[in-house]
Amino acid sequence: MDKTLLKKIDEKIQETISNKDDIKQLISLLSTIDNSKSFALGIVVGRIYNAFYYQSKRILNREPTKDEFEEFLEYIQNKKSDLENLW
């Protein structure tokens, strides 16, 4: 994956971790289910996927390829425990 793109994704992950209280507040307003951890992970995944897609278009001037998406998935898989431990 492009190094600049990877850096932007990592920045978004760190921003998400830093703003976990904001996300918790959003969850408390919107979640009517008992399993708010799944809901939280959905918000986090949405933020990170959006960053990947948007930054790919901005940095690479194109949509990400299937191979780049696979690399993104592998990277996120490696960060999964960091993201799950927020809640």
Side-chain angles (χ1 to χ4, degrees):
M1 189 179 331
D2 179 85
K3 289 181 182 182
T4 305
L5 179 57
L6 187 59
K7 181 181 176 205
K8 291 293 185 182
I9 292 168
D10 204 38
E11 287 173 2
K12 181 56 77 173
I13 290 171
Q14 294 307 315
E15 175 189 314
T16 300
I17 290 169
S18 296
N19 294 330
K20 69 181 179 181
D21 291 336
D22 292 347
I23 295 171
K24 285 180 181 180
Q25 189 174 15
L26 180 62
I27 291 165
S28 71
L29 286 171
L30 298 177
S31 180
T32 58
I33 57 175
D34 291 333
N35 192 357
S36 62
K37 184 174 182 176
S38 293
F39 190 69
L41 195 54
I43 291 172
V44 169
V45 166
R47 288 173 55 98
I48 296 168
Y49 174 76
N50 187 54
F52 165 72
Y53 192 81
Y54 171 78
Q55 293 298 337
S56 292
K57 291 184 86 166
R58 189 180 72 75
I59 294 167
L60 305 174
N61 295 315
R62 60 175 171 74
E63 293 186 7
T65 65
K66 186 70 172 166
D67 288 340
E68 289 165 334
F69 182 68
E70 293 295 326
E71 289 178 48
F72 168 72
L73 292 178
E74 185 177 318
Y75 183 75
I76 294 304
Q77 179 68 32
N78 293 330
K79 297 287 189 174
K80 184 179 177 182
S81 63
D82 293 340
L83 298 172
E84 287 179 328
N85 291 330
L86 289 175
W87 329 108

